[in-house]
Amino acid sequence: MIARRPLAFLAMLVLAALTLGGPALAAPDAGPAIEIWKSPTCGCCQKWADYLESNGFTVRTKNTTQGMLNRIKRQAGIGPKLASCHTGLIEGYAIEGHVPSDDIKRLLAERPDAVGLTVPDMPLGSPGMEQPDGKTEPYDVLLVKTDGSTEIFARH
């Protein structure tokens, strides 16, 4: 179960979204809906959003200030050491950074008692961080537990 504070904040975000016109209702056969909070000038954030959409997710991006983005991360349970450049919210979980779509789908299928997933920093070759020369670096997707601890969820 997600800690009360992040759950209350997520409820507040949903209420705000509905008040401001609300997200478009997804078609019954649409993939899982994810709301992505990002800077309006972040190219890799938009690449990650496009990647998720091409992998079956219904994506809604929300451009915001860095201050608000930091607040969203903090309220969702993502500390500075776990942070990246954008934050996704999906079915009660936070998805921080360049997390692969299959890992998000696995999280949603397994439903662990956790805050969500993170790929701290911006590893080369992760979704949205592909390089023209094909260069990649290994990285881990971390499961962020409700007590703030982490464990490796997947290795890439």
Side-chain angles (χ1 to χ4, degrees):
M1 193 79 180
I2 293 179
R4 292 183 199 278
R5 190 170 183 191
L7 184 59
F9 184 75
L10 291 175
M12 181 183 71
L13 287 176
V14 169
L15 182 59
L18 291 174
T19 302
L20 297 172
L25 295 177
D29 60 345
I34 186 167
E35 186 173 78
I36 300 171
W37 292 80
K38 66 179 194 67
S39 162
T41 59
C42 183
C44 68
C45 296
Q46 189 58 54
K47 284 183 179 181
W48 184 69
D50 294 343
Y51 157 82
L52 288 182
E53 197 164 60
S54 71
N55 281 277
F57 288 82
T58 300
V59 175
R60 181 179 175 122
T61 57
K62 296 206 171 225
N63 292 325
T64 191
T65 65
Q66 191 60 50
M68 177 59 90
L69 186 55
N70 290 339
R71 188 176 325 156
I72 289 166
K73 292 173 191 304
R74 191 172 51 251
Q75 292 293 328
I78 303 296
K81 291 182 180 178
L82 300 176
S84 186
C85 55
H86 54 263
T87 303
L89 302 173
I90 185 169
E91 297 185 20
Y93 290 107
I95 307 296
E96 182 69 15
H98 297 270
V99 177
S101 62
D102 286 344
D103 295 337
I104 300 170
K105 290 173 184 175
R106 179 178 150 212
L107 175 78
L108 298 177
E110 293 178 4
R111 306 296 259 167
D113 183 19
V115 168
L117 299 175
T118 184
V119 172
D121 303 317
M122 299 162 63
L124 296 180
S126 61
M129 289 297 297
E130 297 88 353
Q131 301 300 300
D133 64 2
K135 184 176 181 180
T136 63
E137 57 189 14
Y139 65 94
D140 294 330
V141 175
L142 303 176
L143 179 71
V144 182
K145 298 179 182 182
T146 55
D147 66 0
S149 65
T150 62
E151 68 181 45
I152 295 172
F153 189 77
R155 290 184 185 267
H156 297 278

